[in-house]
Amino acid sequence: MRFIWLFSLGLIIWTIDWAPALASSDYRHARSWTLVNRNLSAGSNLAMLQPGNDTRVNLLLLQDDRPGGAVSGQGRVFFEWSELSTALYPARFRNVSPGSHSHSRCQTFESGRDAFSEAVRSAKRLPRNEQDLLISVRESISPDCEDMAAGGAEIARLAPIRSQRGRDFGVYLTSALAFYNGDFDASTKGFSALVKAKDDWLKETALYMIARSELNRSQSRAFDNYGYFGGPGAVDQGAIRNAERGFNLYRKIYPQGSYHQSARGLLRRTYWLAGETEKLSNEYAAVLDNPRLVGIQLPVLVQEIDDKLLATLSLRRDTSDPELLAMIALYRMREPRNSYGDEAPKLAITRAEIESMRDSLSSRPGLLEYLLAAQAFYVANNPEMVLELIPDDAREPRSGYLDFSRQVLRGQALEAVGDRNARGFWEQLLSGTDSIYQRGLVELALAMNLERNDAVDDVFARHSVIETPVLREIMLQYAAGPALLRKQAKNIKLDERERDLALYVLLYRQLTHGAYAEFLSDLNLVKAEANQDGPFFNSRTENNYGYEEALQPIPLGLFTQFDQSDEFDCPVLKKTVEILVSNADSHRGLLCLSDYVRLAGFDDYWMDIQPKSNQLGGSGSGFPDPVFSRLESYKQIIADPQASSENRAYALYRAVWCYGPAGINSCGGSGVDEPQRGVWFRELKRRYPSSLWAQKLKYYW
């Protein structure tokens, strides 16, 4: 019946909207383009079992262990929990609103109308006029969920009912209203009077509702005004025991009953409220074997387990379930502290602790060896042990995420020991990978290998297996040298965005690394109609979520059409660069290039921040240091006694403004302290008082 199904859905919903317990102990979305990660970041999940994954992701991968599972969505490397769960289970939530009383006991009141009406119409020896009155009263009742007196006037309309069946249904309505209004004494008493009723629906539903009333009584003072649980000590222990006995009795008497699934779900809630971790873990272990039998889709169940169980679970004490043990083990391989700092750092798991789980893990072939290898790699820093524990099966067909995780971990160990065959291993592993998320992961590993071995050109070779756009773009932005960028910019067989990005990076790097003649030559590759809406920010590679939609067009027109007219008279960029080609130390050329950088939005530009050495793109760009700095150009001109009054005054003005108005250098280069900025300010005022720049500058910072 619809009432039953919706109540089961309502039971599940309370687990969904709360931040997950272990998944969110460091709930950030910062993304690092690397495979080795012991720190949780919600947006950096990979399609393998690893400590840095959201715990829900690890559990879902281990449960849904089938090849090619994540098959929807664009080609991606990292993903969020919601993306993976939707990819594996596209219909995980039905589009049903629980109504205005969402997340309270009253959310099932409206959905129960049809069930009640059906039961009344099916009841034997119940006069038609009494049926009509009962249904009318049920439809007109509107519980308050806070006011125990709400709905009393409607219940009074039941007085004319004379048949025993009709009176029993009236007692049910009175008791249900008391339940929804929060009068659990009255509801328990009323439902108890119906457990021997002649009508089967009333008898079964009353027994179920007695337990539900006791459950709600037990938690009536367990949550504060903000919905935070006060712990088992805040629960009415007598009522919670009554609820547990009631649900178990219902399940015993009605093993195939209408509320069987719901009663089982509410039993889990009673265990959680009572702090019965062992009972709760045993129940979850049983449900994990086949969640469909209890009416829950796997992602919803995983969310509930993460929220209600894993944070309190202890190895060997509370569970022997292999999947739950694996989650605890991986969690304890994370860095000892999260970014907020625990009061007491959690101790990293030891090899002996994992060995102690050998018998429990035996039902999942390969899981024990994987956890031992993961502990050796992530905690003990012993990649050689990984190679001993996990054989090379890169060429073999894989049966799911666990096998895939084992091979990726072996590949990471090969990289850690500097094995020259690591590239071949990744290529073999990639050839047998058919999942989108898995493919992106292996492509990342291979791209990092090629970069670290000075083979960046191979990433962009004609038959390159690295296809994921975000990886290719990172390599262009941070690892490619001028020859490769120029080659990609001219390759008409490439996607237009990749060509444009290669040219944009090439021109920007040339301009800011002093390759002025090359810049002028390559500037001819920019189309006359090129977009100039900048500055450019690559949301595909740089934002924390890594979404691949609404990408900004690449504004190559910034280098050919940008109007940099300002109070200091400068020509177009091409003319400025021509000046610098003739004389790289030209004061006018340096000042005009500085103005271009400032006005085009290239101060503190994201492309100048090289990724860390352990990340993709972290090996260097192939362009000579240092990067152009406005502040260093101003210093150079200020220090030159041959500088003209106009150029020197403007350099002083701009050098001071590098720190305005926040006192933070926005012009790059080596910073100067406030007293030096004061010297520049006073020199401008004293030596060039009639200049526009002296008149405009009122402060220094």
Side-chain angles (χ1 to χ4, degrees):
M1 289 179 284
R2 195 169 70 174
F3 171 80
I4 302 164
W5 182 85
L6 277 173
F7 179 74
S8 181
L9 177 65
L11 165 66
I12 293 167
I13 288 174
W14 65 272
T15 70
I16 296 172
D17 288 345
W18 298 97
L22 294 191
S24 63
S25 61
D26 183 12
Y27 208 67
R28 301 171 291 115
H29 291 269
R31 175 164 294 159
S32 297
W33 289 94
T34 180
L35 291 182
V36 182
N37 186 11
R38 289 182 65 194
N39 294 305
L40 171 67
S41 176
S44 290
N45 296 295
L46 290 167
M48 65 172 291
L49 304 173
Q50 62 149 356
N53 275 1
D54 185 317
T55 311
R56 296 169 296 178
V57 168
N58 281 335
L59 185 53
L60 186 60
L61 292 177
L62 193 55
Q63 280 294 307
D64 198 299
D65 197 11
R66 60 191 184 193
V71 295
S72 67
Q74 300 177 9
R76 295 282 295 279
V77 180
F78 299 109
F79 51 84
E80 306 230 7
W81 154 250
S82 58
E83 294 171 310
L84 179 69
S85 56
T86 301
L88 292 173
Y89 294 85
R92 88 180 218 229
F93 298 120
R94 300 190 187 186
N95 186 25
V96 178
S97 170
S100 59
H101 300 296
S102 177
H103 309 297
S104 78
R105 65 183 178 277
C106 282
Q107 69 183 22
T108 58
F109 187 84
E110 295 177 3
S111 62
R113 287 184 178 136
D114 290 347
F116 180 82
S117 298
E118 181 181 340
V120 168
R121 293 301 187 197
S122 301
K124 299 176 181 178
R125 292 188 293 278
L126 182 60
R128 181 73 184 194
N129 64 321
E130 292 186 359
Q131 292 181 14
D132 293 342
L133 178 58
L134 285 164
I135 292 172
S136 174
V137 170
R138 174 63 180 84
E139 290 179 348
S140 62
I141 289 175
S142 180
D144 185 83
C145 280
E146 294 181 2
D147 180 6
M148 291 188 181
E154 295 300 325
I155 293 296
R157 293 171 51 202
L158 298 174
I161 292 180
R162 293 290 178 265
S163 72
Q164 185 59 48
R165 291 288 174 95
R167 290 176 180 177
D168 287 346
F169 275 100
V171 171
Y172 172 83
L173 281 182
T174 303
S175 304
L177 182 62
F179 170 79
Y180 290 117
N181 285 344
D183 187 352
F184 302 119
D185 288 338
S187 65
T188 298
K189 181 179 180 180
F191 288 129
S192 296
L194 296 175
V195 294
K196 294 185 179 180
K198 299 295 184 181
D199 184 88
D200 291 339
W201 184 88
L202 280 175
K203 185 162 50 177
E204 178 185 349
T205 304
L207 184 60
Y208 165 75
M209 288 301 295
I210 292 170
R212 196 174 165 198
S213 295
E214 289 300 292
L215 173 60
N216 277 268
R217 185 209 305 276
S218 74
Q219 64 182 25
S220 60
R221 297 183 180 180
F223 297 86
D224 64 17
N225 292 335
Y226 299 100
Y228 290 104
F229 179 43
V235 175
D236 183 326
Q237 293 299 313
I240 200 69
R241 298 304 172 205
N242 289 339
E244 180 181 353
R245 286 191 289 268
F247 287 125
N248 280 325
L249 180 61
Y250 172 83
R251 294 179 64 198
K252 180 179 180 180
I253 296 176
Y254 299 100
Q256 304 298 322
S258 300
Y259 308 99
H260 182 81
Q261 292 180 359
S262 180
R264 188 167 187 176
L266 289 174
L267 258 178
R268 296 197 300 274
R269 185 168 178 83
T270 65
Y271 298 151
W272 174 66
L273 289 169
E276 296 279 3
T277 305
E278 185 175 359
K279 288 183 179 179
L280 185 60
S281 64
N282 289 339
E283 178 63 17
Y284 279 130
V287 174
L288 279 171
D289 285 342
N290 198 336
R292 289 187 178 88
L293 291 181
V294 292
I296 302 178
Q297 287 195 334
L298 189 55
V300 179
L301 179 61
V302 166
Q303 170 74 72
E304 183 183 325
I305 292 173
D306 185 79
D307 191 28
K308 296 296 182 287
L309 176 66
L310 291 180
T312 61
L313 208 56
S314 299
L315 286 174
R316 305 295 298 165
R317 187 185 70 189
D318 298 320
T319 186
S320 59
D321 179 75
E323 286 83 8
L324 296 179
L325 289 172
M327 294 307 100
I328 304 170
L330 288 169
Y331 173 64
R332 286 186 52 200
M333 292 179 201
R334 290 180 185 167
E335 292 288 353
R337 289 181 182 270
N338 61 43
S339 61
Y340 303 105
D342 296 323
E343 292 182 5
K346 295 177 177 63
L347 295 176
I349 195 167
T350 65
R351 179 184 177 89
E353 287 180 287
I354 297 176
E355 286 282 7
S356 72
M357 299 186 287
R358 181 176 290 273
D359 290 343
S360 297
L361 297 174
S362 61
S363 61
R364 287 300 304 266
L367 184 56
L368 171 66
E369 291 77 11
Y370 176 75
L371 292 176
L372 288 171
Q375 192 276 339
F377 186 80
Y378 293 108
V379 179
N381 193 26
N382 186 357
E384 293 83 2
M385 179 60 68
V386 177
L387 299 178
E388 291 181 21
L389 288 165
I390 300 179
D392 183 350
D393 290 332
R395 300 180 186 86
E396 301 299 321
R398 287 175 294 282
S399 60
Y401 290 106
L402 176 56
D403 284 349
F404 178 72
S405 300
R406 286 163 54 92
Q407 292 306 299
V408 173
L409 188 60
R410 179 178 174 84
Q412 291 175 319
L414 290 172
E415 296 284 8
V417 301
D419 193 301
R420 64 181 182 179
N421 296 315
R423 173 177 177 171
F425 175 86
W426 293 124
E427 290 172 340
Q428 290 170 355
L429 188 62
L430 186 61
S431 66
T433 300
D434 56 2
S435 162
I436 290 176
Y437 293 132
Q438 289 182 0
R439 181 177 180 88
L441 186 160
V442 182
E443 285 188 23
L444 171 60
L446 179 57
M448 293 185 69
N449 175 279
L450 296 175
E451 180 188 3
R452 276 22 177 210
N453 288 282
D454 299 321
V456 174
D457 286 16
D458 290 358
V459 173
F460 301 95
R462 182 179 178 185
H463 298 295
S464 172
V465 294
I466 298 177
E467 304 169 348
T468 302
V470 65
L471 301 179
R472 296 173 67 90
E473 292 188 10
I474 290 174
M475 296 290 276
L476 289 175
Q477 290 166 182
Y478 297 113
L484 176 58
L485 289 169
R486 188 176 296 110
K487 176 184 176 182
Q488 295 304 102
K490 292 180 177 180
N491 189 346
I492 60 174
K493 294 182 179 180
L494 293 178
D495 174 81
E496 182 180 17
R497 177 181 171 87
E498 184 169 319
R499 293 200 313 269
D500 287 352
L501 178 62
L503 183 55
Y504 183 91
V505 175
L506 176 64
L507 294 173
Y508 177 78
R509 297 284 187 212
Q510 291 170 332
L511 188 65
T512 57
H513 288 262
Y516 301 128
E518 293 85 350
F519 174 87
L520 290 176
S521 175
D522 292 322
L523 195 62
N524 295 320
L525 297 174
V526 178
K527 297 177 182 177
E529 68 277 11
N531 179 289
Q532 62 168 319
D533 297 331
F536 171 63
F537 176 77
N538 194 345
S539 60
R540 173 178 278 169
T541 65
E542 302 308 307
N543 85 8
N544 287 339
Y545 293 90
Y547 291 160
E548 297 192 14
E549 59 261 23
L551 295 175
Q552 178 187 355
I554 298 171
L556 287 168
L558 273 179
F559 300 108
T560 57
Q561 306 171 40
F562 184 72
D563 181 7
Q564 67 177 86
S565 58
D566 201 25
E567 294 164 310
F568 191 76
D569 186 28
C570 285
V572 296
L573 177 61
K574 182 178 180 180
K575 295 295 184 183
T576 295
V577 178
E578 288 174 349
I579 294 172
L580 292 169
V581 169
S582 299
N583 178 9
D585 294 320
S586 164
H587 293 172
R588 176 66 62 164
L590 291 174
L591 289 172
C592 286
L593 180 56
S594 295
D595 263 12
Y596 171 80
V597 167
R598 175 176 61 88
L599 295 170
F602 289 144
D603 279 337
D604 292 329
Y605 199 44
W606 58 271
M607 208 183 295
D608 293 327
I609 304 173
Q610 196 73 23
K612 295 179 180 179
S613 61
N614 67 332
Q615 297 181 16
L616 185 67
S619 62
S621 66
F623 287 81
D625 288 333
V627 68
F628 177 80
S629 159
R630 288 204 291 128
L631 182 57
E632 295 304 317
S633 296
Y634 301 144
K635 289 180 187 178
Q636 179 180 337
I637 297 167
I638 292 169
D640 189 347
Q642 302 301 315
S644 70
S645 296
E646 181 185 14
N647 289 344
R648 198 161 190 278
Y650 190 60
L652 287 166
Y653 172 76
R654 281 293 165 204
V656 173
W657 255 110
C658 280
Y659 285 84
I664 300 173
N665 178 21
S666 62
C667 301
S670 300
V672 297
D673 56 21
E674 186 175 338
Q676 179 59 60
R677 278 122 60 187
V679 170
W680 289 341
F681 176 82
R682 289 186 290 273
E683 183 178 355
L684 176 62
K685 293 292 188 179
R686 185 180 67 254
R687 294 188 61 180
Y688 311 104
S690 61
S691 70
L692 173 63
W693 320 116
Q695 294 171 20
K696 289 186 65 173
L697 192 62
K698 304 299 182 183
Y699 315 98
Y700 70 89
W701 300 269

